[in-house]
Amino acid sequence: MRIQVKNLLAIILIILLTSTVSEGQTKKSYTDYVNTFIGTAPLTDPEILGYELPEGWRSWAGLTFPGSSLPNAMVQLSPITEYGSGAGYEYEDTLIYGFTHTNKGHWNLCNIPILPLSDGGQKSSDKFRSRFSHERESSAPGFYQVYLDDYDVDVHLTSTLRCGYHRYAYEDNAGRQILFDLAKANNKVSNWQIEQVGSSVVQGYQQTGEKIYFYAILNTAIERVEKKEEGASNGFAVVHLVNGNNEPVELKIGLSFVSIENAKQNLQQEIGDKSFAQIRNEAASQREELLSSITVSGGTEKQKEMFYSCLYRSFLWPALRSDVNGAFTDAKGEVDRADFNYYTEPSLWDTYRNKDVLLGLISPKVTLDVIKSMKDVGDKTGFIPTFFHGDHGASSITGAYLRGIDDFDVEGTYQLLLKNANESGGARPYINEYIEKGYIADPDISEPHVETKGKAGVSKTLEYAYDDYSLAQMANKLGDTANFNILMERSKNYKNMFDPTTKFMRGRLEDGTWIQNFNPQYPYYEYMYREANAWQVSFFAPHDMEGLIALYGGEEDFESKLDSLFSVPWNPNYIARNVETMIGQYCHGNQPDHEAPFAYHFIGKPEKSQKIIDYILNNLYGIGDEGLALCGMDDAGEMSAWYVFSALGLYTFSATDPEYIVTVPLFDEIKWKTSNNEVLTITKPEKGRALKSIKVDGRESEGYFVSHDLFKNGGTIDVITQ
């Protein structure tokens, strides 16, 4: 009997141990939560969009790519299903035209398209493509795979910072070919060249305003390189491989924006003799390290998938542009060399609001090098670069500086930003008018429409006022009292656009009178407003909410107007690309009003903010039939960073200021390992979604903001709800 009991106990112990091991083996890594296809599917629901899509339109939603990329890398290796589309890949498509090596999601790049072919493939440049299906397609951070049905090739892709690694398993190992479709990209190609070097190497470049050089090594011999109209817009090249090797074809390709020799050096240093599996594992490991800096407990599986997918997408842009030897092509087209990594400029109009801060919190070295890169552009051109609209380098750089990223030429950068803020011909169009009048006027148009040309004077005035405030904070820290006072006075210029009779930010004419043909619900691309209507810009003064509330006549009137923002129905006849996904008049599909949901905090009603934030988090990300659509363009990660911060219960309401507005997180507990190895813990002990109080390090906090010191020193935030 004792023997039987002993045996039974042993069996139970084995089962328990086996169960424990099994659980350990099946525990998800953080990269397992990432779905790189999110943002590639179309948004078609008129109830979400706010209108019926006109025939032939695809909404500007997501515009993301599913391929392989390390954080802020030079190479983004991804399939292209339609040239001229936002990110090259559209989930509803059924044909792949190639695999390109650069991407942003702004209808540009998609350089160096390569496609494996077989003897049965099409020979016309317009016909090089293959059918594929999502059933035989997969992806993960640092990896993409698809089966090309027309060529019977299983394609595996991975990448390093500056290199791509292709692996092609052909069903038929005779007649293998590889297309270099160098006349094509999302930008207009003006010239291209390719040549064979030795038995298994090809090299060349593609020119689209800037030259992108490549050096590619194959693991099998090349029979010949067939070129059709080299350099021409209708040309292409096909690399024919020698028969006889039954192993998968591997193509390792290095890129450079400087030279073929640098592309070769990048390839030798980053890949060299490493195997595909090694490079893929290294890519996954780098992504895992970044994602694991924030761990969450609680929440649903979908919320975790969305959170880590958004965190992943927040670290794709800006993109690396310098080579392993430090060389890069500067803003004047000259080759230079630096002791820092040279990056593209951030997508500032989008990302200064949140993503640039997130980048600095998790990858401060990248942020530092981005600032140094922007300073280099300023040294060469006379102005710190901007992007699309506004002068938001002032916010992005000052915000990083005030958070402790200061190992750069602060004084030199500051002087360039002052030049941006005061001199014409640079980052601020109509700056003389803005300084002289305190606002920027628009013309009197009798029947304006969505695409009416103007100065976007309301948006420029509001944004310049915030940029002035941002630069004033740098002036203050540097002890420049004179410029601090001037810029702070200019930061109030947003008030000059407020019409007290309509209680909207409204366009003015040159003589200062209000534009008469005024419909606050009608959206414009650049007449009075930049990709917005009056509703969507009328709550933008993140640096002076007290002053903004006073313009409306106090808290009660402000609350009433804010309620209307989220409740006045959108007119479905008002159709403007990029102004989409409506909650009343509020547009989450574009950036101009992304701070508005948090505005109720400033009148002591955070529970009303939370209802809007929760609706957005749970209903406007991961939508559509496949759960893969986003409610608007990801815009270099801004839309994703909005989700990340809001899901964590912290938001960069005024990104310049080193503080964060507190909301109710989606998760019960968050542990954020900061860049200096401290830990910030955020807890939500109750199930309620209405914010009641905030405790910082155990003490009840006044107001709704917490200091950036928590990221420096570590600490706890307890979000108490009801």
Side-chain angles (χ1 to χ4, degrees):
M1 184 67 179
R2 286 178 183 173
I3 294 173
Q4 289 177 336
V5 170
K6 279 186 177 181
N7 289 342
L8 181 60
L9 289 172
I11 291 169
I12 292 172
L13 182 60
I14 290 169
I15 291 171
L16 288 172
L17 287 171
T18 304
S19 174
T20 303
V21 170
S22 177
E23 287 178 10
Q25 289 172 341
T26 59
K27 182 182 178 182
K28 277 190 173 184
S29 66
Y30 299 103
T31 54
D32 288 337
Y33 283 108
V34 175
N35 186 339
T36 65
F37 290 103
I38 290 174
T40 65
L43 179 60
T44 58
D45 187 346
E47 293 298 316
I48 297 175
L49 282 167
Y51 54 83
E52 290 274 358
L53 282 170
E55 186 175 353
W57 274 33
R58 188 186 196 270
S59 67
W60 288 359
L63 306 188
T64 63
F65 60 91
S68 173
S69 178
L70 294 188
N72 302 102
M74 180 184 292
V75 167
Q76 298 83 34
L77 180 49
S78 194
I80 188 158
T81 64
E82 184 174 347
Y83 287 100
S85 61
Y89 180 94
E90 297 183 341
Y91 193 79
E92 67 273 27
D93 291 341
T94 58
L95 298 174
I96 283 178
Y97 291 90
F99 303 99
T100 65
H101 293 76
T102 61
N103 212 303
K104 182 187 178 186
H106 270 202
W107 299 277
N108 58 353
L109 301 176
C110 294
N111 298 107
I112 321 291
I114 295 176
L115 182 70
L117 311 174
S118 58
D119 257 345
Q122 303 288 339
K123 294 299 181 185
S124 165
S125 177
D126 294 331
K127 300 291 187 181
F128 287 126
R129 76 284 187 273
S130 175
R131 290 169 295 167
F132 76 104
S133 68
H134 298 307
E135 288 73 24
R136 304 184 79 178
E137 179 186 39
S138 62
S139 70
F143 175 74
Y144 174 83
Q145 173 275 329
V146 70
Y147 191 87
L148 301 179
D149 294 332
D150 287 326
Y151 299 118
D152 288 322
V153 181
D154 192 16
V155 175
H156 289 219
L157 308 174
T158 189
S159 60
T160 66
L161 285 173
R162 301 171 179 88
C163 306
Y165 200 144
H166 302 235
R167 192 172 191 268
Y168 308 142
Y170 287 80
E171 292 287 339
D172 185 351
N173 286 305
R176 299 168 302 175
Q177 305 158 18
I178 300 174
L179 169 72
F180 281 71
D181 211 0
L182 298 175
K184 293 186 174 67
N186 260 4
N187 296 100
K188 180 178 172 59
V189 177
S190 58
N191 197 9
W192 61 272
Q193 189 178 88
I194 187 172
E195 62 177 338
Q196 181 177 347
V197 182
S199 63
S200 58
V201 173
V202 290
Q203 64 184 27
Y205 67 83
Q206 184 183 62
Q207 186 164 8
T208 61
E210 57 184 349
K211 278 187 178 179
I212 301 101
Y213 299 90
F214 65 89
Y215 183 89
I217 299 176
L218 287 149
N219 67 338
T220 189
I222 297 171
E223 179 186 285
R224 62 189 171 94
V225 177
E226 174 190 3
K227 302 187 216 180
K228 298 291 186 182
E229 303 291 335
E230 184 172 25
S233 60
N234 61 340
F236 60 90
V238 176
V239 175
H240 296 259
L241 305 180
V242 171
N243 291 332
N245 184 346
N246 293 326
E247 296 298 314
V249 172
E250 292 189 345
L251 183 150
K252 304 174 181 179
I253 181 169
L255 262 59
S256 169
F257 287 75
V258 173
S259 67
I260 289 174
E261 185 58 36
N262 278 17
K264 178 180 179 180
Q265 187 177 353
N266 291 341
L267 181 60
Q268 289 173 334
Q269 186 161 322
E270 292 189 355
I271 295 182
D273 294 328
K274 291 181 180 179
S275 69
F276 185 93
Q278 284 177 291
I279 296 300
R280 178 185 175 181
N281 289 339
E282 288 176 7
S285 177
Q286 288 189 46
R287 279 294 183 181
E288 182 74 9
E289 182 180 0
L290 188 152
L291 296 172
S292 67
S293 62
I294 305 177
T295 62
V296 300
S297 302
T300 66
E301 288 298 293
K302 180 178 179 180
Q303 287 169 338
K304 289 176 182 176
E305 177 188 70
M306 192 57 56
F307 174 77
Y308 284 108
S309 297
C310 286
L311 186 59
Y312 165 85
R313 282 196 306 274
S314 297
F315 291 84
L316 293 169
W317 195 265
L320 181 64
R321 284 295 178 264
S322 56
D323 296 322
V324 293
N325 62 9
F328 61 93
T329 299
D330 68 15
K332 299 187 77 173
E334 302 294 329
V335 175
D336 203 346
R337 195 179 297 265
D339 59 359
F340 59 88
N341 283 329
Y342 188 84
Y343 288 92
T344 62
E345 67 195 54
S347 190
L348 285 166
W349 189 69
D350 309 304
T351 59
Y352 86 93
R353 306 164 196 271
N354 49 41
K355 207 290 287 285
D356 293 353
V357 177
L358 184 61
L359 181 67
L361 292 174
I362 293 179
S363 301
K365 177 61 167 62
V366 174
T367 292
L368 177 64
D369 286 351
V370 168
I371 293 172
K372 290 180 178 180
S373 302
M374 294 171 73
K375 167 67 162 49
D376 187 84
V377 174
D379 289 340
K380 307 292 174 59
T381 67
F383 296 92
I384 292 290
T386 189
F387 173 80
F388 189 67
H389 204 255
D391 180 24
H392 301 312
S395 174
S396 184
I397 293 172
T398 301
Y401 176 54
L402 296 179
R403 289 174 172 86
I405 298 175
D406 56 8
D407 188 20
F408 61 97
D409 179 4
V410 176
E411 181 61 33
T413 305
Y414 173 61
Q415 291 300 322
L416 284 167
L417 286 169
L418 280 176
K419 190 176 179 183
N420 276 26
N422 291 290
E423 295 187 21
S424 60
R428 298 198 193 190
Y430 312 108
I431 185 59
N432 292 337
E433 179 183 2
Y434 171 80
I435 293 172
E436 178 186 343
K437 295 180 177 179
Y439 67 89
I440 297 171
D442 268 284
D444 189 13
I445 307 293
S446 59
E447 295 182 8
H449 55 85
V450 168
E451 298 190 13
T452 291
K453 300 295 182 184
K455 300 178 186 175
V458 178
S459 293
K460 280 189 174 64
T461 301
L462 300 181
E463 293 181 35
Y464 289 178
Y466 183 67
D467 297 331
D468 287 338
Y469 168 82
S470 300
L471 189 53
Q473 307 317 299
M474 181 175 271
N476 185 49
K477 185 160 184 179
L478 293 174
D480 185 354
T481 304
N483 275 308
F484 171 76
N485 290 334
I486 291 168
L487 290 163
M488 284 302 292
E489 186 62 30
R490 280 168 43 173
S491 76
K492 300 174 185 176
N493 283 344
Y494 76 90
K495 297 180 180 181
N496 296 332
M497 307 312 301
F498 188 80
D499 173 13
T501 59
T502 63
K503 295 188 176 179
F504 285 107
M505 299 292 178
R506 181 174 179 178
R508 287 184 182 271
L509 299 173
E510 293 286 350
D511 63 5
T513 58
W514 300 112
I515 287 177
Q516 292 303 303
N517 197 337
F518 175 68
N519 178 353
Q521 295 187 28
Y522 196 82
Y524 299 99
Y525 288 144
E526 53 182 311
Y527 181 59
M528 295 191 284
Y529 313 105
R530 191 56 156 145
E531 293 188 354
N533 67 12
W535 278 102
Q536 292 150 13
V537 305
S538 290
F539 300 90
F540 183 84
H543 59 300
D544 186 22
M545 289 301 289
E546 183 178 348
L548 180 67
I549 291 167
L551 289 180
Y552 282 94
E555 292 186 359
E556 187 175 335
D557 288 344
F558 180 80
E559 180 181 6
S560 176
K561 195 74 169 184
L562 193 57
D563 288 344
S564 296
L565 170 68
F566 296 106
S567 60
V568 171
W570 182 260
N571 187 330
N573 295 314
Y574 295 166
I575 300 175
R577 279 194 190 270
N578 221 21
V579 183
E580 61 190 18
T581 308
M582 318 308 300
I583 305 173
Q585 294 294 307
Y586 172 77
C587 171
H588 197 69
N590 205 16
Q591 280 69 38
D593 54 355
H594 271 186
E595 83 295 333
F598 305 89
Y600 286 107
H601 281 63
F602 295 90
I603 55 172
K605 298 196 174 178
E607 70 280 359
K608 296 184 80 169
S609 281
Q610 198 61 53
K611 285 183 179 179
I612 302 297
I613 294 165
D614 282 349
Y615 178 83
I616 294 168
L617 290 172
N618 293 319
N619 295 280
L620 299 184
Y621 287 77
I623 50 182
D625 293 340
E626 301 90 359
L628 297 177
L630 295 176
C631 59
M633 284 179 62
D634 197 41
D635 276 316
E638 189 279 342
M639 192 76 70
S640 290
W642 192 100
Y643 186 99
V644 168
F645 275 122
S646 299
L648 295 176
L650 300 176
Y651 191 74
T652 53
F653 186 82
S654 172
T656 299
D657 296 309
E659 60 181 10
Y660 309 88
I661 197 167
V662 177
T663 61
V664 180
L666 285 180
F667 307 104
D668 298 335
E669 183 179 75
I670 296 139
K671 287 191 177 294
W672 190 325
K673 186 173 71 175
T674 69
S675 59
N676 58 345
N677 290 317
E678 300 292 342
V679 176
L680 171 60
T681 301
I682 306 169
T683 68
K684 180 181 68 70
E686 306 296 334
K687 296 298 183 185
R689 298 299 300 167
L691 180 61
K692 181 181 178 183
S693 64
I694 303 161
K695 291 182 179 180
V696 176
D697 292 335
R699 295 182 178 181
E700 192 155 324
S701 178
E702 293 185 11
Y704 300 107
F705 283 87
V706 294
S707 169
H708 179 71
D709 287 345
L710 286 163
F711 283 96
K712 293 181 180 179
N713 307 320
T716 61
I717 303 172
D718 298 315
V719 181
I720 311 303
T721 61
Q722 58 186 8

